[in-house]
Amino acid sequence: MIVADYLWHGWSAEEIVRQYPHLTLAETHAALGYYFDHKEEIEAELLAEYRDAEQWKKAHPSSAFLLRLKAIKEQTGA
C-alpha cells in the first residue's frame, strides 16, 4: 500500500505517515527504499493485482459488495 499510494496518489513519505499514523517515517522510507531496489518486481506485482481486480469486477458486475460501494459513492458524491 505504501508504494501504491506513492505511485498512484503521488504521496510523499510524510503524507503516507499522515494517512497511516501507525507507520513511522523511518518505516515508510525503508519501504520506499526497498521499492526502489526492487522496482521491476514490485511494479509487476502491483500490475498483476490491478489486473486481477479488474477481471474480478468484470466477472462480478452486480455483486452485492460492488452495489453497496456504488451506492456509497453516489451518496457521498465521490
Side-chain angles (χ1 to χ4, degrees):
M1 287 307 302
I2 292 170
V3 172
D5 288 333
Y6 170 79
L7 292 173
W8 293 323
H9 295 297
W11 290 353
S12 66
E14 291 79 9
E15 181 60 27
I16 292 168
V17 170
R18 277 193 287 279
Q19 297 295 324
Y20 302 101
H22 63 279
L23 294 174
T24 66
L25 191 56
E27 290 169 329
T28 304
H29 280 291
L32 292 173
Y34 184 87
Y35 160 67
F36 286 115
D37 286 344
H38 302 89
K39 194 172 180 176
E40 289 180 18
E41 174 187 347
I42 292 171
E43 288 180 1
E45 183 178 330
L46 288 172
L47 182 59
E49 288 176 8
Y50 172 79
R51 287 180 177 155
D52 288 346
E54 289 299 308
Q55 278 184 310
W56 187 90
K57 284 193 291 187
K58 287 179 184 176
H60 303 88
S62 60
S63 74
F65 176 70
L66 285 178
L67 291 174
R68 281 188 305 218
L69 285 179
K70 287 178 184 178
I72 291 168
K73 184 177 179 181
E74 290 172 4
Q75 289 173 354
T76 61

